[in-house]
Structure formats: C-alpha cells, structure tokens
Amino acid sequence: MMRVLMIAFACLFLAAPAPARPAKRPIGLDDLAKIKTVGDPQVSPDGKWVAYTAGTVDAEKDKRDTDVWMVSWDGMEQIQLTSTTDSSESTPRWSPDNKYLAFLTTRGDETQKKQGAQVWLLNRMGGEARELTNIRGGVSDFAWSPDAKRLVLVVKDPNPNDEPEKKDGWKRKTAPPIVIDRYHFKQDREGYLQPLHSHLSLFDVATREAETLTEGQFDEQAPAWSPDGRFIAFVSNRTADPDRNDDTNVYVVEAKHGAEPRQLTTYAGSDGGRPSWSPDGKWIAYLQGDETKYNAYSMNKLAIVPALEDGPPRVLTAALDRPVSGSIIWSSDSRNLFFTVADDRIAYVGKIAAAGGSVEKLTAGSRVVSNISRRDDTSFALLSTTPSEPDEAYAFENGALRRLTHQNDALFSDLQLATTEDFTSRSKDGTEVHGIVVKPASYVAGQKYPMILYIHGGPNGQDAQGFSFDRQLFAANGYVVSSVNYRGSSGRGSAYQKAIYADWGNKEVIDLLGAVDHMIAAGVADPNRLGIGGWSYGGILTDYTIATDSRFKAAISGAGSALQTSMYGLDQYTRQYDSEIGPPWKAQDTWIKISYPFFQADRIKTPTLFLGGEKDFNVPVAGGEQMYQALRSLGVDTQLVIYPGQFHTLTTPSYQRDRLERYVAWYAKYLKSSSN
C-alpha cells in the first residue's frame, strides 16, 4: 500500500506544472546603473587565472567604482580582490614570477589622492594590498621587468600650481595664473596645458627607490621590456615641436639611468600602440598609422622593426585595408603575431606570420572582441560583446570562445532585448553604405515605426555588433533605431575613411539620408515620425543634417558644433584644422562652407535639444550654445542643457541617466504625439 501511495505522489509531482518564470521586461533607465563594466583581462603567468576589472555604479552616492577581480581559467571560480568604495582600481598586471598582482589606484587621504595614482601590490599568498610607489605626479602606466625585480613607470611632472604657496615667485594660497606658451594648449579633462611632460622611471621593488630613465620636453608612453630585461622600448614624439604634428616613433633605451634612447622608426606619421618584443628579442612589433595630415582618419597597420640592429621596418598588414588595434602578441617561437581587427561592424582576432602573408581570422560571428591577453600559442583571454551582451571576459581555446565572467547574467536574464540586424543602403551618388538597425522586441513586419537615426561620433569609428544601452533603450520605447557607418567611418578601408577629408558635412549627410530613404522604402520607418541625434561628431552631423533636410520632427545634438570658424583656438583640434582645412585667414571660403548649419540656421525647422559638458575642451559647449541661440532667435522649439563639471564624456551617473531621460522625453514629445 505504501509503495502504491509513493508512486501516486510521484506521478502527481511529475504532472504538476513548473512554476511560471516571470515574463521578461523591456530595458529601462534604472538598468543603466545596474550594468557592470568588465575590462582589461590579464592571464596569469601560470595560465590558471585571469585578472580583470569590474565597474559598478552606486546610484545613491552618484559615484562609480572599479574593482579588480580574477576568474579561474575554467571559469568555475570568481574572486573579488579589491572592494574599496572611496577609490577605483585599474590596470591589473601580474608579476612574471607569479607572486604578485599589481594595479593602479588613488587611495589615501586628499593629499595622497592629489598626488596621483600609485602602484599597489597584492601578494598571491594573501593579505591586504599595500602601496608600492609614492611618487609626485603620479603613475599613469607601468610594466614589470622579466625578473619581477623592477618596474618601469610612466610618471608625469608634478604641477607646481597644485601647491601654490610653495611655488617660486608666488607664495600664496590662491591659485596662480595659468601661463600658456604652447601651440597645442588645451586638452579635454587635462585642461590648459602647461610645460609638464610624462617620462619613464625605473623602480626597484625591493628598495622602493626610483631613478629617472628619460628626460626632456617630450612625452613617453607605452613602455615594454625586452625578454632579457636589458632594454625598454617606448613611444615618443621627439620632433622639434611635438605639439604641431603626430610624428610619434618607437625608441629603445638601455634600462639604466643615463642611457640614451635610440630611435627605431622614422615614418613621418604615427608609430605607436604598445611596442611588443618578439620572444627571441630580435623584433619589435608596433602600429603604424597614417601621415600627420590624415590623423583624424588614420588606419593603423601592423609593422615590425629590428630591435637592436639597424634595418628598415616591415608593414605586415598593408594589404588588409582594415585597422589593427589593441595588444600585439607574439607566438612563443617568434614566428606569428596575434592582434584585433575592426572589420565592417565587427572586430575579430587576427593572425599573421612574421615573415608576411595573409591575415587569418581566428574568431567568428557578429561580435566585437578586444583586449586580448596571451595564455599560450593557441589560447587567449579577451573581451567580447554582442548586441545582447555587454563586454564579458572570454577564453579563446581550441578555436572557440568560452565565457569566463558572468557579471551581468542576473540582470540580463530578466530583460527582453531588441533585435539587431545589418543593413545595406545606397546613397544618391551610388555609394554603398553599411549600418545596423535595432528593432523593438515586439516588432511586427509590415508595420511602420517612428525611427531614430542615431549617429556615432569620431568620425573614425564604427557602429558595430556590440551592446549599446542607448539603442536598446530607444527600441524598448517603441522606436526603430538606425545607425549608419557613413563615409569617414572605420571598418570599410582607408579610402572610405578619408573620403570626407576637408569636406565635412557633405558625403556623411548624403549617406545618412540615403539610409533613411532605405528604411522608408523598406516599410520600416514612418516618414512622418523621423528623429535624429548623436554625440560629438554625431552631434555635429545632426546639425549638418537638419540644416540640409527638414523632414526630421525631432533632433538632439550632444557636444556638437556648427559655426566651425569659432572653434579655431576654442577646442583642441587646431593642429587638424591647420593641416586639413587651413588657417581661417587663408581658407575663409572653406571655413564658411563647413559652417553652413549656422549660416543657414533659418532653414532649420526641426525642434532640437542641445546638450554638453560645462568643461568640455574637446567640443566646447559653446558650439551648442550658438545653435541654441540661433534657433531660439528664429522661434524654433529648442532647449539647452549644460552638465556642471563634466567634460566631453559625461561620467557622473546621475547626469548619464538624465541625458537619456531627456532623450526619451524629447523624442516622445515630437514623434509620438497625436499631432504627428
């Protein structure tokens, strides 16, 4: 009898329906603060762990925080290594002897924080992190020597204005005047530039003593040790006036005080990236850009140069016609190199022989990979993102990707995300243009939707098959979102990037409008409910486009400009202006031509929201103020929003949320009202 009852109960249990999973919901503004930002994966020397950073937002305190984590190579163990709330950690780097994990942070009291970031150490055996360096000016970058006994540091000159009462000739607590005598005299986030530079220092881990390695009125960056620890390669612009060009080169210096650097490259353009030594010590790989006048449209190529002997560089990816980026990794036998490639809405890991040849594509799929870190000749750690997943750390082994981190799984399991598709349009001049379209999760074929043309900045960048909170949010609010890789964008070759040289606001607008026409003809976009917007060059193109075509019912121009003549000396791009457009007193007609959105503001009928950061030196908020005033004077519905204390990119969480909240409200007002 008991057995019969047990069987009956078992049958009832099996027959009972499983608890219904809660229905997935659209992404919302509250989710912006919940997404964790994964970055900088680094494989340990023994190959058993991957260190990485994870950024979070404290919405209540309106602060961001980044901590260092590590995950086992099999992905089974996740360990948070730092958990401070008053400072962030970055740049995790394993010591070659596998005993320590170093990182950068600005921990301590206000005096210590003012001094700048320092290197801290975590002992692999356990215990709290301890400060290693204590250097005025702070440390912006570092690298371990192969024997783990020394570090090479990138240290910035201390700013005497930080302690005005100690400054010669001033001796007051009030801030001294800023004296400028440089051609390139301002930079976003850094402010007005004084004669302060970044140099290399050698740091002894045991004695905690530092000694200067490089000096002079130059800036050094991206140091890398030779395999035997005798030399350091680095990148620097040592021309007569580095402010006036982008002619960086690769140098090598013996790792001892007083040694003279030796220049390896002489290309009249940018030679950079982080130099990468071949394991046999014979070659250094680096990234070669374009000549200085094409700096804004530069497409990096992979090159190698003899490290310690005279010999010409060799460009390995000249035939690729796609930009190489990120870390450059050698195989253990010095015969092959690995790197990442941006290619028409995706990015992949590529491989090429040091002797030359074609590039082999190692990763596949509609995704963007970056930040590769070598484990062995066939496996790497890297970051990967798709339209439905923010960056997470992955292992690449046996020719396939395997997820290591799951920082956002819990959140995204609840979300119903929009779908992302590629599309191709044809511009009126016959140019083939590629883009991506994001459709609401509830999208019904044959139904016309209000559409937002969402424009990327740069222009030297691309809208790719990676996660975009902005596009997902707009789609969750019922919009189709089109993002167009107009001429000037990367991923389609050098000629495509340089097509807009000295001709801004022309071909880009033709391509943007061609994509709009394509979406209308395809029956996706409602021609009576079109919106447009973007940030930085995306804001600039918004101004150009609404001055060209009046059919957009709502526009948002973030960190944009239209009266380009007024940007000369106001923003940080004077070098580009002089080389590409020419000084205004020599090229007045061209300057007026590229300023047409302001001079033809009376053609604009589109209600436009302008936004910008108060302290933006990249595209100063004056650009938005001028257009706001023009439209206000003309009686066009407009509004200006300025974010206090913010630079070109908004970093305060509440301001980031506010920006998107205003986007959604502005588009809803003009694209969803019954009158439209």
Side-chain angles (χ1 to χ4, degrees):
M1 184 66 179
M2 182 61 69
R3 183 170 180 273
V4 172
L5 288 173
M6 289 177 66
I7 293 173
F9 279 124
C11 291
L12 286 171
F13 177 77
L14 291 172
R21 287 192 62 183
K24 291 192 174 187
R25 60 175 179 81
I27 201 168
L29 275 170
D30 289 342
D31 297 313
L32 181 63
K34 298 176 183 177
I35 295 177
K36 298 176 183 178
T37 307
V38 176
D40 205 0
Q42 298 289 321
V43 181
S44 62
D46 61 8
K48 295 179 180 179
W49 295 90
V50 177
Y52 66 96
T53 58
T56 57
V57 170
D58 187 328
E60 289 297 318
K61 294 181 179 179
D62 206 13
K63 289 179 58 179
R64 292 186 168 277
D65 180 55
T66 301
D67 292 305
V68 176
W69 289 61
M70 68 179 187
V71 56
S72 57
W73 181 253
D74 61 11
M76 301 303 293
E77 295 183 71
Q78 297 269 353
I79 301 174
Q80 184 172 353
L81 299 176
T82 66
S83 57
T84 55
T85 56
D86 64 338
S87 63
S88 289
E89 292 78 42
S90 69
T91 323
R93 296 293 181 266
W94 302 94
S95 62
D97 61 7
N98 213 35
K99 292 181 179 179
Y100 299 100
L101 181 63
F103 57 87
L104 293 178
T105 185
T106 53
R107 292 183 186 181
D109 57 29
E110 289 306 311
T111 301
Q112 290 173 300
K113 290 183 177 181
K114 198 172 185 179
Q115 188 166 267
Q118 303 294 334
V119 180
W120 284 58
L121 280 187
L122 274 168
N123 193 315
R124 294 290 307 278
M125 301 299 292
E128 293 292 325
R130 62 182 178 90
E131 186 180 52
L132 182 63
T133 66
N134 186 7
I135 297 176
R136 287 193 65 205
V139 178
S140 60
D141 192 11
F142 70 97
W144 286 95
S145 64
D147 63 5
K149 293 180 179 180
R150 292 188 293 174
L151 300 174
V152 57
L153 311 175
V154 179
V155 179
K156 190 166 187 176
D157 294 335
N159 189 344
N161 289 348
D162 288 342
E163 298 179 295
E165 67 277 9
K166 298 180 181 179
K167 186 177 180 180
D168 290 341
W170 190 250
K171 307 300 182 184
R172 302 174 180 87
K173 289 188 176 181
T174 52
I178 300 171
V179 180
I180 303 294
D181 61 2
R182 295 178 60 172
Y183 171 81
H184 179 62
F185 70 95
K186 62 198 310 187
Q187 188 74 27
D188 194 43
R189 300 193 69 84
E190 294 185 40
Y192 292 103
L193 301 178
Q194 299 177 68
L196 305 175
H197 298 280
S198 295
H199 304 292
L200 302 184
S201 289
L202 294 171
F203 185 86
D204 189 286
V205 175
T207 65
R208 300 182 65 178
E209 293 181 353
E211 60 179 0
T212 302
L213 183 60
T214 63
E215 298 177 305
Q217 302 299 305
F218 312 111
D219 292 290
E220 276 78 59
Q221 58 182 310
W225 292 82
S226 63
D228 60 9
R230 292 180 55 204
F231 300 93
I232 293 172
F234 63 93
V235 174
S236 184
N237 183 338
R238 296 192 164 212
T239 58
D241 188 353
D243 282 351
R244 291 182 177 270
N245 61 70
D246 223 28
D247 189 10
T248 54
N249 283 286
V250 179
Y251 291 79
V252 165
V253 63
E254 192 174 357
K256 67 179 184 180
H257 178 70
E260 281 295 318
R262 184 170 66 91
Q263 185 175 339
L264 297 186
T265 64
T266 57
Y267 174 67
S270 61
D271 292 323
R274 185 176 294 277
S276 179
W277 293 78
S278 60
D280 61 14
K282 295 180 179 179
W283 296 91
I284 292 176
Y286 63 98
L287 300 179
Q288 184 185 95
D290 284 291
E291 56 185 298
T292 292
K293 72 175 184 177
Y294 290 122
N295 175 256
Y297 317 99
S298 185
M299 189 184 77
N300 286 331
K301 299 173 282 291
L302 177 64
I304 60 175
V305 64
L308 302 175
E309 299 178 358
D310 292 335
R314 289 195 289 116
V315 177
L316 300 182
T317 61
L320 179 62
D321 201 25
R322 292 292 185 270
V324 174
S325 63
S327 303
I328 305 167
I329 296 172
W330 288 85
S331 60
S332 58
D333 59 7
S334 301
R335 297 178 62 182
N336 296 292
L337 298 101
F338 306 89
F339 44 90
T340 53
V341 179
D343 179 26
D344 194 11
R345 295 166 286 192
I346 66 167
Y348 63 85
V349 177
K351 173 184 176 181
I352 195 170
S358 59
V359 173
E360 180 183 353
K361 185 177 179 181
L362 299 186
T363 57
S366 296
R367 65 176 64 242
V368 174
V369 301
S370 60
N371 294 80
I372 56 175
S373 176
R374 180 182 180 276
R375 184 172 184 254
D376 55 40
D377 288 350
T378 60
S379 60
F380 309 90
L382 51 79
L383 293 179
S384 173
T385 176
T386 68
S388 60
E389 177 189 292
D391 271 319
E392 295 278 1
Y394 275 73
F396 174 78
E397 62 179 351
N398 300 320
L401 291 171
R402 171 173 53 82
R403 179 100 83 89
L404 292 176
T405 62
H406 301 268
Q407 291 283 349
N408 292 291
D409 284 8
L411 172 62
F412 277 70
S413 65
D414 294 334
L415 300 180
Q416 184 181 42
L417 296 176
T419 59
T420 301
E421 304 168 3
D422 289 341
F423 75 86
T424 298
S425 59
R426 184 76 61 176
S427 300
K428 69 177 183 180
D429 62 1
T431 301
E432 181 180 296
V433 176
H434 298 170
I436 58 176
V437 58
V438 181
K439 299 176 180 178
S442 58
Y443 178 81
V444 177
Q447 180 177 327
K448 296 180 180 179
Y449 288 80
M451 187 184 80
I452 296 171
L453 179 63
Y454 203 50
I455 311 169
H456 72 75
N460 193 355
Q462 67 166 344
D463 282 307
Q465 289 281 356
F467 180 78
S468 166
F469 186 91
D470 295 18
R471 292 195 292 255
Q472 287 288 340
L473 180 67
F474 297 150
N477 280 273
Y479 301 99
V480 164
V481 187
S482 293
S483 294
V484 182
N485 288 322
Y486 50 85
R487 275 170 282 186
S489 304
S490 63
R492 293 282 307 282
S494 182
Y496 193 86
Q497 287 178 226
K498 296 172 182 171
I500 66 171
Y501 181 82
D503 186 23
W504 308 337
N506 178 19
K507 297 182 179 70
E508 313 98 298
V509 174
I510 292 173
D511 294 344
L512 293 170
L513 294 177
V516 172
D517 293 338
H518 171 82
M519 287 298 167
I520 293 172
V524 174
D526 183 341
N528 297 312
R529 294 186 293 169
L530 299 176
I532 186 174
W535 195 269
S536 191
Y537 201 72
I540 293 171
L541 286 182
T542 296
D543 295 344
Y544 278 127
T545 306
I546 61 177
T548 303
D549 195 315
S550 61
R551 59 180 150 166
F552 296 95
K553 298 299 188 292
I556 299 176
S557 177
S561 63
L563 182 56
Q564 310 305 353
T565 55
S566 68
M567 293 293 109
Y568 191 94
L570 189 66
D571 64 20
Q572 63 189 34
Y573 295 106
T574 301
R575 185 170 65 200
Q576 181 187 351
Y577 297 150
D578 281 350
S579 64
E580 183 174 347
I581 304 300
W585 51 91
K586 289 186 176 181
Q588 183 176 348
D589 290 345
T590 303
W591 279 97
I592 292 175
K593 176 185 174 184
I594 64 176
S595 297
Y596 76 78
F598 187 83
F599 290 120
Q600 298 180 21
D602 55 352
R603 296 183 57 185
I604 298 175
K605 309 302 178 187
T606 305
T608 306
L609 172 65
F610 298 95
L611 310 94
E614 177 194 23
K615 294 185 177 181
D616 188 348
F617 274 8
N618 188 317
V619 186
V621 72
E625 291 173 339
Q626 292 164 342
M627 284 300 289
Y628 163 78
Q629 188 63 68
L631 296 195
R632 178 59 66 192
S633 298
L634 289 164
V636 177
D637 195 5
T638 184
Q639 193 175 70
L640 174 65
V641 180
I642 300 172
Y643 292 99
Q646 298 295 285
F647 302 102
H648 188 61
T649 300
L650 306 185
T651 55
T652 301
S654 61
Y655 290 155
Q656 291 180 324
R657 178 190 171 108
D658 181 87
R659 178 183 73 95
L660 287 174
E661 198 166 22
R662 292 181 186 277
Y663 275 35
V664 171
W666 191 263
Y667 287 134
K669 179 179 179 180
Y670 297 101
L671 302 183
K672 289 191 173 182
S673 65
S674 58
S675 61
N676 291 329

